[in-house]
Amino acid sequence: MSSTKPEFKIADVIADLTRGGMPLRFEAYDGSASGPEDAEIRLELVNQRGLQYLATAPGDLGLARAYVSGDLVVHGEHPGNPYEVMSKLKDHTKFRAPSPSELVTLLRGLGLSNLKPPPPPPQEHLPRWRRMMEGVRHSLTRDAEAIHHHYDVSNTFYRHVLGPSMAYTCAIYPKDSSTLEEAQYEKFDLVARKLGLEPGQRLLDVGCGWGGMVMHAAKEYGVKALGVTLSREQAAWAQAAIEEAGLSGLAEVRHLDYRDVAETDFDAISSIGMTEHIGIKNYPAYFGFLRDHLKPEGRLLNHCITRHDNRPTNAGAFIDRYVFPDGELTGSGRIITEIQDAGLEVMHEENLRLHYALTLRDWNHNLVENWDACVEEVGIGTARVWGLYMAACRVGFERNEVQLHQVLAVKTGPDGADGFPLRPTW
């Protein structure tokens, strides 16, 4: 193990390289410290491997690697909900480039052994260039692998975090006091109301997850609903839930890529949390496919995370490697444009950004409440990933860095009929 020189203090270097200084107490294994001494929350760098992670991958990826591995420990906050840490660090995680003189001092102090990156934690997915070996981005094979990485963690783990609804998309809170389950029910019901679902109609839910929308449409509206998902574990869980609820005559979930759905002439299609995964360049084909599977006057409800502007961007390194491999976001304007260019008429648009912040708050709460069971199910590293990811995303939604939009559209008939009343009914 290499040692630093006496004049070299790890905490001083880390603080100097952050934008605006260290906003909380930072302590390192060499005895150095920086930040307010009376801070309620402390970050402790416990070993050399953690320093190597920070030195070789500055920014969110290095911090995530050290945190997930247990080399960077948070004191004063539960690992299942490091929200306060993320709030304080949000504007400080992009390390500024050192000056030439600082770089010389940094390299001399760190030592060459600290500039060799350790193997990443096992929870980390391959970098984008390595994924090219698995197929073209958003090909059937590569999409299946990306979905498997995120959604096939453990149905039991998801049950602990998501609650009984097993809904892994933004809930809609009718009141400040609404519970997560009430809010998820309202989300599915709002989608159903916007789609104008009625008994006897046919619904296709693409990227259906654990079948929440499919079962809601069947149970509450008497709709014959088909859901498709690339996650084998989701499909198995959903089918069992459908049978247990006595909805087998109306509801079905298949382990299937949406591009392989053979049925057409649906009265309605819901796409809830799906668009984030398909790739911006594939929007024309995606919305064209959905248009072609609707009957005239059939409605589409697209519910997805967006950016606050319309400039496409890849997810940050942490999100891309640990949470949503190959994920891409753009703004609601681009979504609406692509839906219109596909030949659908946009009837309504709504931003539900702050509702997602509340949803993430409640998921974090569930993770904390079920921490021991979650760790037993998936391991401490994966549990830390989820706590970090949900807390960081909550801050992003609160600060309007990301948004959540629902866009309602219709396949207008040949004579221009859209089937809508003069004013919304939902």
Side-chain angles (χ1 to χ4, degrees), residues 125-126 128 131 137-138 142-143 145-147 149-151 273-281 283 305 307 312-330:
H125 200 48
L126 295 173
R128 287 181 185 270
R131 286 179 229 151
R137 193 177 188 186
H138 298 300
R142 191 159 155 182
D143 277 352
E145 174 55 31
I147 294 300
H149 175 85
H150 187 71
Y151 292 100
M274 174 70 172
T275 317
E276 301 92 325
H277 299 290
I278 65 172
I280 296 171
K281 71 175 184 179
Y283 284 177
I305 301 170
R307 283 177 51 78
T313 183
N314 293 324
F318 167 63
I319 295 293
D320 183 65
R321 300 281 190 93
Y322 285 87
V323 186
F324 292 113
D326 290 342
E328 295 177 86
L329 296 180
T330 187

Side-chain angles (χ1 to χ4, degrees), residues 363-381:
W363 288 343
N364 265 137
H365 174 78
N366 285 347
L367 180 58
V368 170
E369 289 294 302
N370 298 287
W371 182 253
D372 291 342
C374 287
V375 170
E376 182 179 355
E377 182 68 21
V378 300
I380 184 68

